[in-house]
Amino acid sequence: EVQLQESGPGLVKPSQSLSLTCSVTGYSITSNYWGWIRKFPGNKMEWIGHISYSGSTSYNPSLKSRISITRDTSKNQFFLQLNSVTTEDTATYYCARYHLDSSYIYPLFDYWGQGVMVTVSS
Amino acid sequence: DVQMTQSPSYLAASPGESVSISCKASKSISTYLAWYQEKPGKANKLLIYSGSTLQSGTPSRFSGSGSGTDFTLTIRSLEPEDFTVYYCQHYNEYPLTFGSGTKLEIK
């Protein structure tokens, strides 16, 4: 069974960097695409970006200058780094797998982690 | 960016009833629309993709319809476990965007 688990600090100070890890079991991250999504207080959801099976990345233009998604294939993990955070980055962060159907990868999410709540506060 | 307008934000119904949730896109997204179910403490669940295709494991009381800009999620014969939050998401282009969510509550 495919499982994803986010981990990282629950509290980050303004202007610092937020670093999160997504640990994947039951499926190799060298297959498929893997994404990060966040949900703000008030329930608005935002796609952050993804990393592909080959390591290529795509980011939300609204965040592009501040984010980096990387991976460690030996550990079957991928990572999110968000720089220069503000209180507006307070959210629950999710990692998720893109959907594979008939050998085509679609940018919708068929497996999600349970999310990790991150608060940006001094 | 494609804006997804989801309505209503809140919906109250009784077990056994049927409900519909709307999702409207700011431009045509063909049928590149997914619906998710969110429950506290659990991973989000993909219910429907391609506007109307049920994901494996989705009960048949769930159905999706629509194309272009207007989409609907319908739940027939509501079960107690259906009272939770639902989101739509388009995947016609990047950036992917989501609806604002609908909370389905027991009347």
Side-chain angles (χ1 to χ4, degrees):
Chain A
E1 182 187 4
V2 180
Q3 292 188 322
L4 296 90
Q5 179 67 59
E6 306 89 349
S7 59
L11 181 65
V12 181
K13 295 186 186 305
S15 79
Q16 293 188 343
S17 293
L18 178 164
S19 295
L20 298 176
T21 298
C22 182
S23 300
V24 180
T25 56
Y27 201 90
S28 172
I29 65 167
T30 60
S31 301
N32 215 323
Y33 281 45
W34 304 86
W36 287 98
I37 306 104
R38 63 182 179 176
K39 186 176 77 168
F40 298 102
N43 294 329
K44 178 187 173 184
M45 301 214 14
E46 180 177 60
W47 172 75
I48 297 171
H50 71 235
I51 187 164
S52 78
Y53 51 80
S54 66
S56 63
T57 55
S58 180
Y59 302 137
N60 193 318
S62 68
L63 296 166
K64 193 172 184 178
S65 63
R66 295 198 292 134
I67 64 172
S68 176
I69 299 176
T70 58
R71 64 179 185 169
D72 184 336
T73 58
S74 67
K75 295 182 178 179
N76 217 38
Q77 295 175 328
F78 62 104
F79 312 101
L80 170 67
Q81 181 169 319
L82 178 62
N83 300 320
S84 305
V85 298
T86 72
T87 55
E88 295 189 353
D89 294 309
T90 294
T92 298
Y93 287 77
Y94 300 90
C95 58
R97 189 187 81 167
Y98 280 24
H99 180 60
L100 178 65
D101 186 20
S102 302
S103 301
Y104 192 83
I105 296 171
Y106 292 91
L108 58 124
F109 307 99
D110 59 7
Y111 286 94
W112 295 66
Q114 292 194 17
V116 59
M117 188 178 300
V118 178
T119 300
V120 179
S121 176
S122 55
Chain B
D1 300 2
V2 179
Q3 305 303 315
M4 304 302 295
T5 302
Q6 187 174 341
S7 62
S9 299
Y10 296 93
L11 185 54
S14 301
E17 292 184 340
S18 296
V19 296
S20 292
I21 298 169
S22 170
C23 195
K24 294 183 184 295
S26 59
K27 70 176 195 180
S28 177
I29 57 170
S30 184
T31 57
Y32 295 116
L33 193 282
W35 291 97
Y36 301 94
Q37 181 187 65
E38 178 190 79
K39 289 188 174 183
K42 291 192 172 183
N44 290 345
K45 181 181 179 183
L46 172 64
L47 296 173
I48 289 169
Y49 62 95
S50 296
S52 61
T53 301
L54 265 61
Q55 170 69 344
S56 175
T58 300
S60 59
R61 62 181 180 274
F62 290 86
S63 65
S65 64
S67 66
T69 60
D70 290 355
F71 299 85
T72 302
L73 172 69
T74 299
I75 314 171
R76 295 180 292 103
S77 301
L78 284 164
E79 297 285 343
E81 61 266 29
D82 299 335
F83 291 90
T84 188
V85 180
Y86 297 87
Y87 290 92
C88 61
Q89 177 227 324
H90 91 81
Y91 53 101
N92 184 62
E93 62 186 45
Y94 290 103
L96 313 175
T97 57
F98 292 81
S100 54
T102 295
K103 184 174 184 180
L104 176 57
E105 300 178 324
I106 297 178
K107 187 185 292 182

